[in-house]
Amino acid sequence: KAGVTQTPRYLIKTRGQQVTLSCSPISGHRSVSWYQQTPGQGLQFLFEYFSETQRNKGNFPGRFSGRQFSNSRSEMNVSTLELGDSALYLCASSLAETANEKLFFGSGTQLSVL
Amino acid sequence: GESVGLHLPTLSVQEGDNSIINCAYSNSASDYFIWYKQESGKGPQFIIDIRSNMDKRQGQRVTVLLNKTVKHLSLQIAATQPGDSAVYFCAENSGGSNYKLTFGKGTLLTVNP
């Protein structure tokens, strides 16, 4: 069974631009979560979607948004990029209809903002 | 508030030794815990999980211990191998309608041949 697929793998943008990252979950998984990983803050929760509905959102500004499609694939968007948005963005999927289920992560998209 | 912290940021062991990675959590409502391994350039990889109604769970070469009294979690790796070198994260979920994991900062495990 294929794992979680994230595209692109690397991305370089400049301040003020916007970016869209894509995630394809494991087949059959209906929950998709997004995390930001930085050396200083570690892994920080962005948001979680299940059946196209956002069920939970982390403490990030409104510039960070996401959505989930009917095939469970998800995208996240960051508008008006700032230098501090440089990070590894990780997508994870799970079967989860309940909260306590293991997440399976993709390899991430490394975003560099110049 | 919720937080998960690690006692040791780095751990260096000899190949073949047993490794113990510790984690403290502060949210007494947390009822589900996971350990992840992250190698350079990769996403976190699931190792083992445990629910709060258990105090010990074993997998292949790994054991997770949960002490709810002192809010402490540990990961034991038996016969550590060079391939075990990675950053290890503990994570907690407080359940209910909280569909997110709160991660610790991570411990870097280095296995010396």
Side-chain angles (χ1 to χ4, degrees):
Chain A
K1 188 183 265 192
V4 177
T5 304
Q6 292 188 245
T7 57
R9 185 73 179 88
Y10 301 95
L11 207 49
I12 300 175
K13 292 287 188 179
T14 56
R15 280 180 299 174
Q17 288 187 309
Q18 73 167 17
V19 66
T20 299
L21 312 181
S22 180
C23 173
S24 294
I26 292 171
S27 178
H29 285 192
R30 296 166 62 192
S31 169
V32 173
S33 302
W34 289 88
Y35 288 79
Q36 181 196 65
Q37 185 174 28
T38 60
Q41 297 299 316
L43 281 144
Q44 301 285 317
F45 172 78
L46 282 157
F47 22 67
E48 188 267 353
Y49 291 89
F50 181 84
S51 293
E52 303 178 68
T53 299
Q54 185 182 88
R55 295 194 294 191
N56 207 347
K57 188 177 191 303
N59 295 323
F60 280 82
R63 300 185 296 107
F64 291 81
S65 63
R67 58 177 176 169
Q68 186 181 33
F69 302 96
S70 58
N71 62 358
S72 294
R73 193 177 68 84
S74 177
E75 289 180 347
M76 69 163 282
N77 184 278
V78 187
S79 63
T80 319
L81 284 166
E82 301 177 358
L83 296 178
D85 297 332
S86 295
L88 180 66
Y89 290 88
L90 291 160
C91 171
S93 74
S94 74
L95 290 166
E97 294 195 21
T98 62
N100 292 343
E101 295 291 338
K102 62 178 74 73
L103 304 184
F104 295 88
F105 284 86
S107 294
T109 294
Q110 184 68 55
L111 173 65
S112 297
V113 182
L114 306 179
Chain B
E2 298 177 357
S3 68
V4 179
L6 294 170
H7 293 306
L8 296 173
T10 62
L11 178 63
S12 183
V13 301
Q14 291 298 123
E15 182 178 358
D17 287 351
N18 296 332
S19 302
I20 299 176
I21 301 172
N22 295 302
C23 175
Y25 65 94
S26 61
N27 187 353
S28 58
S30 291
D31 55 4
Y32 180 61
F33 304 87
I34 307 181
W35 282 99
Y36 283 94
K37 170 187 179 183
Q38 187 174 26
E39 298 173 282
S40 181
K42 298 183 179 179
Q45 176 187 356
F46 171 83
I47 301 173
I48 192 168
D49 58 358
I50 188 168
R51 300 187 188 276
S52 59
N53 61 352
M54 304 173 68
D55 53 20
K56 180 179 180 179
R57 191 167 189 216
Q58 289 183 293
Q60 187 175 12
R61 284 201 306 119
V62 295
T63 300
V64 55
L65 299 177
L66 175 62
N67 186 330
K68 294 181 288 295
T69 302
V70 295
K71 290 184 283 188
H72 184 267
L73 194 67
S74 68
L75 176 71
Q76 300 178 0
I77 304 173
T80 315
Q81 303 168 359
D84 295 326
S85 295
V87 177
Y88 289 80
F89 295 94
C90 63
E92 62 179 311
N93 189 307
S94 59
S97 60
N98 183 19
Y99 299 96
K100 71 173 186 179
L101 292 176
T102 300
F103 283 82
K105 294 299 184 186
T107 292
L108 173 62
L109 174 65
T110 301
V111 182
N112 302 308

